[in-house]
Amino acid sequence: MAAGLWVALSALRVLLLLLCVEPWTEGGKVLVVPMEGSHWLSMRKAVQELHARGHQAVVLAPEVNVQVKGDDFFTLKTYAIPYTQEEFEDFFLRHNHLVFQTEHFLKTFFKTITISQNVVAFYQRSCASLLYNKDLIRYLNDSSFDVVLTDPFNLCGAVLAKYLSVPAVYFLRSVPCDLDFEGAQCPNPSSYIPRLFTKNSDHMTFLQRVKNVLYPLALQYFCSISFTPFASLASELFQREVSVVDIFSYGSVWLFRRDFVMDYPRPIMPNMVFIGGINCANRKPLSQ
Ligand SMILES: *[C@@H]1O[C@H](CO)[C@@H](O)[C@H](O)[C@H]1NC(C)=O
């Protein structure tokens, strides 16, 4: 009898112990590879929520950056890049005036292309500094992360996730050139989905549909200079041909910061989740 009671008490003690430990064992390890600037501001909110739910987050950023600063709800891990803070800020702030210029469309277009090439070269070099940093890669690999949360606007995080063989969750508003559709093999009918800059709606006349087919062609060049450098980087790293679409298709889950209240309807895949509203998490009340 006494022995039976003892066994029951022991079982109860183990059960209580398990109940106490349970919330901790559920917490995952998340490697966060953000995109610089405003992109980080909404991702930061998601990282804060992950922390509140018992997950551990390590945020990876170049030691020279503008927005990604340390905080108490994540561990900031930085890596060296071949730029100084002055060069970095000068580089990003120098071109801001372009937004307000009223030059000829073509002149602005060519200027934008040149700037994009410089910006992409900057990100590509920074990414190479990360991927070829042996100590850092060893640390990241040994940390056995459960998931990489990254903004595919800068494909570096996606390439890193693939390199570490850790599933990637993409966190984004949108990507140009329908690379999200291609990456996730999502249906994408031109006759119903209004394309970027066309000002079309989801109800189009025949001519609007023609415009809807032609506009993306012009953007192709822009996307090819913006994303191909990452495909080259990945091909070099993995010692085989890797395309831009290959990198996008590595994403396991797509979290879109959008909503059909504001955006036109579009087909989505089962691994695409709409989380519109997170951009407004830090709203300020309007003044009287
Ligand atoms: C990570 O570690 C595993 C096991 O030691 C190893 O096989 C793999 O090559 C490492 N990956 C990278 C990217 O270093």
Side-chain angles (χ1 to χ4, degrees):
M1 180 67 199
L5 190 66
W6 189 81
V7 168
L9 275 179
S10 303
L12 191 65
R13 218 176 288 145
V14 170
L15 188 69
L16 279 177
L17 192 69
L18 277 180
L19 281 178
C20 296
V21 170
E22 191 60 18
W24 295 104
T25 51
E26 266 181 17
K29 289 179 80 174
V30 186
L31 177 63
V32 184
V33 190
M35 164 75 190
E36 181 54 75
S38 60
H39 286 238
W40 163 240
L41 300 180
S42 38
M43 195 180 225
R44 193 176 169 280
K45 205 71 209 158
V47 174
Q48 195 168 15
E49 190 57 37
L50 283 170
H51 171 79
R53 296 187 185 194
H55 303 289
Q56 256 182 57
V58 173
V59 175
L60 194 61
E63 61 187 13
V64 164
N65 72 70
V66 180
Q67 294 282 3
V68 191
K69 304 295 171 210
D71 222 314
D72 55 6
F73 55 88
F74 60 80
T75 309
L76 181 64
K77 187 90 192 158
T78 57
Y79 55 93
I81 56 170
Y83 298 92
T84 65
Q85 185 77 29
E86 287 74 37
E87 280 173 315
F88 183 80
E89 282 175 18
D90 176 54
F91 186 71
F92 275 89
L93 303 178
R94 198 185 333 156
H95 308 301
N96 281 357
H97 65 277
L98 205 74
V99 178
F100 303 105
Q101 265 174 9
T102 46
E103 278 182 293
H104 188 266
F105 162 73
L106 272 181
K107 214 170 166 187
T108 313
F109 177 77
F110 286 115
K111 263 192 187 168
T112 310
I113 292 287
T114 315
I115 293 170
S116 306
Q117 273 168 327
N118 291 336
V119 171
V120 170
F122 171 88
Y123 278 118
Q124 187 194 16
R125 277 191 75 187
S126 305
C127 188
S129 313
L130 162 62
L131 297 172
Y132 290 101
N133 183 332
K134 287 209 174 68
D135 291 337
L136 181 59
I137 293 295
R138 194 176 312 118
Y139 158 80
L140 294 173
N141 198 19
D142 291 346
S143 302
S144 323
F145 287 100
D146 295 305
V147 71
V148 171
L149 177 68
T150 188
D151 187 327
F153 204 82
N154 176 357
L155 279 179
C156 195
V159 175
L160 176 67
K162 200 168 154 71
Y163 191 31
L164 297 174
S165 308
V166 174
V169 172
Y170 293 157
F171 185 90
L172 68 161
R173 172 83 179 93
S174 60
V175 279
C177 300
D178 297 337
L179 285 162
D180 47 339
F181 287 92
E182 270 194 75
Q185 299 192 4
C186 184
N188 188 17
S190 268
S191 16
Y192 295 103
I193 306 178
R195 302 300 188 210
L196 203 61
F197 304 133
T198 54
K199 295 185 180 161
N200 285 341
S201 80
D202 54 340
H203 293 280
M204 288 174 252
T205 62
F206 176 71
L207 280 181
Q208 283 171 330
R209 283 181 176 166
V210 171
K211 184 178 171 187
N212 216 37
V213 170
L214 294 180
Y215 264 53
L217 300 180
L219 261 184
Q220 283 301 332
Y221 176 65
F222 175 78
C223 284
S224 121
I225 60 165
S226 306
F227 293 111
T228 317
F230 289 98
S232 318
L233 205 58
S235 304
E236 202 183 291
L237 192 66
F238 302 127
Q239 302 277 305
R240 64 182 163 81
E241 192 66 31
V242 178
S243 70
V244 172
V245 173
D246 289 336
I247 305 177
F248 273 100
S249 63
Y250 185 71
S252 299
V253 177
W254 297 70
L255 301 178
F256 284 101
R257 299 195 305 275
R258 48 199 298 173
D259 195 282
F260 288 148
V261 169
M262 193 167 105
D263 299 294
Y264 287 114
R266 54 163 278 184
I268 54 172
M269 295 307 264
N271 62 343
M272 293 177 161
V273 185
F274 280 43
I275 53 163
I278 199 166
N279 286 341
C280 312
N282 283 324
R283 67 198 175 280
K284 278 193 190 138
L286 291 173
S287 71
Q288 287 308 314

